[in-house]
Amino acid sequence: MSNFSNITFDKKNSKIVLIIVYIGKAPFWMPAFLLSCGYCSDIQWFIYTDIDRPACCPRNVHFIPMDLEKFNALVSNKLNMNVRVHHDFTYKIADFKSAYGVIFEDDILPFSFWGHCDLDIVWGRIERFIYQELLNSYDIITSRVGRISGHFCLFRNTPVINSTYKWIPTVSQYYSDFSNYSGVDEDHITDYLHVHNNPNWIVRMKQAIMGKQPVRPRVYWDKVLAPIGAHQRTMGQGTDRCWWWKEGKTYDSDGQEMMYLHFHKIKQTMKSINFGYGDRPKEFMITRDGIFAP
C-alpha cells in the first residue's frame, strides 16, 4: 500500500494520472521535467520512488515513497506471484508497466484513465493531443503508430481494460525472468492487440472455436505524438536542429509541435542543465549536450 492518503488534488478536474516507478538517483534533467509537468495542470503524476521530493515541485506531481523492496512486495501481492526485481537490474520494472492498473488500483480509483510514462521526457500541451473526443472513443491511447509505447500509453481505468496484460500467453514467465527485459509493455501487448482486434473473420472464427473471449479494447495508435529515434539521430551538434520547450509547448527540430519530447536516444551524451528546481525559464532547448535556457 502506498502513501496515497497523504495526496490531495482537484478530483473534479483530474481525469488522467500518469504513473512512474523510478528507483535510483534523480536524473539531472528533473527540473525541466517538473517544469513541463506544471504547465499540464489537468494531468496528475504519481512518481513512486526512493528519491526525495524537491522543495519546488508542481502541485500536480506527487512523489510517493517507495524503495525496491516495497515495490517487490506490492507487486507480489497484487499479481499473486513472487516478484524479485534486483537492484542491479531495475530496468526490469518496465515489464510491469501494463499491469500498473492492477498494481496501483487503490491509488488510481478517482481517475477515468491511468497511464505509464518515463522520466526522460519534457511535456508539451497534452490536452491538445489527448482531447475529450479521443478519451470518449478509445480505451487505450498510445503515442506510436501501430504500437504500444513504453514512454506514454493511456488505459481506461476499468477492471476489463486493466486486465489486458493477463491475456498474453506465458505472461507469468516474462514477469518471473528477473535477469531480462521481456518487452511486455511494448512488444507483447502490441502483438496481443493486433491479433485480437483483427477484423479478419478467419481469426475471429478460430477464437470462437477455441472458446476464447479476449479483451478487445478500442485502440488509438494512429499518430506519432513524440519525435521518434530516427528523428533524434538527425540532431546536430550544439544548437543545430535542437528541440525547444516554450511556455508549455514542445517543438521538434523541424518546428513541428509535439505532445512531448522523449530524448532517450541522446541522453547518453547529455551532461548538464543550466537551471534548477526553483527557476522558471519561459523557454529552453534540448541538445545533445544537455538542456539549456537562453
Side-chain angles (χ1 to χ4, degrees), residues 43-84:
I43 311 294
Q44 303 291 320
W45 276 266
F46 287 177
I47 304 178
Y48 298 86
T49 183
D50 57 354
I51 62 178
D52 295 331
R53 181 184 187 276
C56 296
C57 185
R59 293 171 58 87
N60 59 328
V61 181
H62 312 280
F63 283 70
I64 304 173
M66 178 168 286
D67 57 23
L68 192 57
E69 287 69 28
K70 289 182 179 178
F71 176 80
N72 283 335
L74 177 63
V75 179
S76 296
N77 178 57
K78 290 294 185 179
L79 302 190
N80 194 28
M81 61 180 296
N82 186 18
V83 174
R84 303 187 312 278

Side-chain angles (χ1 to χ4, degrees), residues 232-252:
Q232 295 179 55
R233 287 188 282 271
T234 69
M235 298 174 69
Q237 299 299 320
T239 60
D240 181 32
R241 292 184 59 78
C242 65
W243 295 345
W244 282 94
W245 177 91
K246 298 183 178 182
E247 296 187 288
K249 301 178 183 179
T250 46
Y251 302 92
D252 66 14

Side-chain angles (χ1 to χ4, degrees), residues 92 95 168-177 180 182 184 188:
K92 179 62 182 180
D95 267 335
I168 300 173
T170 66
V171 68
S172 60
Q173 295 181 23
Y174 299 138
Y175 283 163
S176 299
D177 183 358
N180 296 285
S182 301
V184 173
H188 296 292

